[in-house]
Amino acid sequence: MNEIEKTKPTIEEFRQAMANAIEAGDQVEIKGNTKHYIVPGMLYGRRTNVPAGATIISAVHKVPHITVALKGIASVMDENGEKRDVFAPQVFVTPAGVQRAIYAHTEVEWLTVHACEETDVDVIEKLLTCSSMDEYRAGLIGE
């Protein structure tokens, strides 16, 4: 049983616990292998590999987008503690304002597809994502 299944912390509590474990040397931080795909004036796609046994916390997306599980099996928990298992191949729409903790039971490969006219990846990331739910909520109310 992995940490997502043992407890139902908020995503922010889970993120802090992961950061503490990395700082203490109990966990190792990984950098995902991400590839970016751009169709100028139309689409942006992000393809990410997550190794088996890794847990990641997604960004908060400001707009809905298509998510494709290309490979693997993962447990996905949202901010409300709702958990579901994803078995690739699977396609679904991720709504705006959702952040998830994802545990990769096997190596997992994800593809997200976004409507986007921008072509600079750094600008795209700022336009489409937030790092936390607090940042997302502040954007909704214009703070």
Side-chain angles (χ1 to χ4, degrees):
M1 181 178 287
N2 63 66
E3 291 304 310
I4 292 176
E5 294 169 331
K6 289 179 187 174
T7 63
K8 287 192 175 184
T10 67
I11 298 294
E12 193 50 45
E13 289 169 339
F14 193 67
R15 178 196 317 274
Q16 188 58 52
M18 287 174 61
N20 292 344
I22 290 168
E23 188 175 317
D26 297 331
Q27 289 184 357
V28 176
E29 184 172 8
I30 61 165
K31 300 292 181 192
N33 178 12
T34 301
K35 295 179 184 174
H36 303 275
Y37 302 88
I38 297 173
V39 178
M42 293 181 60
L43 296 172
Y44 165 67
R46 180 188 316 111
R47 187 174 183 168
T48 304
N49 289 73
V50 180
T55 300
I56 63 169
I57 297 177
S58 72
V60 182
H61 290 86
K62 297 177 184 178
V63 295
H65 62 278
I66 295 171
T67 301
V68 182
L70 297 167
K71 173 179 163 181
I73 300 169
S75 291
V76 180
M77 183 185 74
D78 67 20
E79 182 62 34
N80 299 316
E82 298 296 320
K83 181 187 152 269
R84 76 179 213 183
D85 291 326
V86 175
F87 300 87
Q90 192 172 45
V91 179
F92 49 94
V93 174
T94 298
V98 173
Q99 187 168 40
R100 297 179 172 129
I102 302 164
Y103 175 78
H105 295 279
T106 65
E107 180 181 357
V108 175
E109 190 170 356
W110 299 95
L111 174 67
T112 59
V113 181
H114 310 261
C116 185
E117 294 184 10
E118 182 59 56
T119 57
D120 182 296
V121 172
D122 292 332
V123 173
I124 291 170
E125 291 294 325
K126 289 177 184 171
L127 286 172
L128 298 179
T129 65
C130 304
S131 61
S132 70
M133 289 302 294
D134 288 340
E135 183 183 338
Y136 175 76
R137 289 183 196 106
L140 289 178
I141 57 176
E143 291 182 359

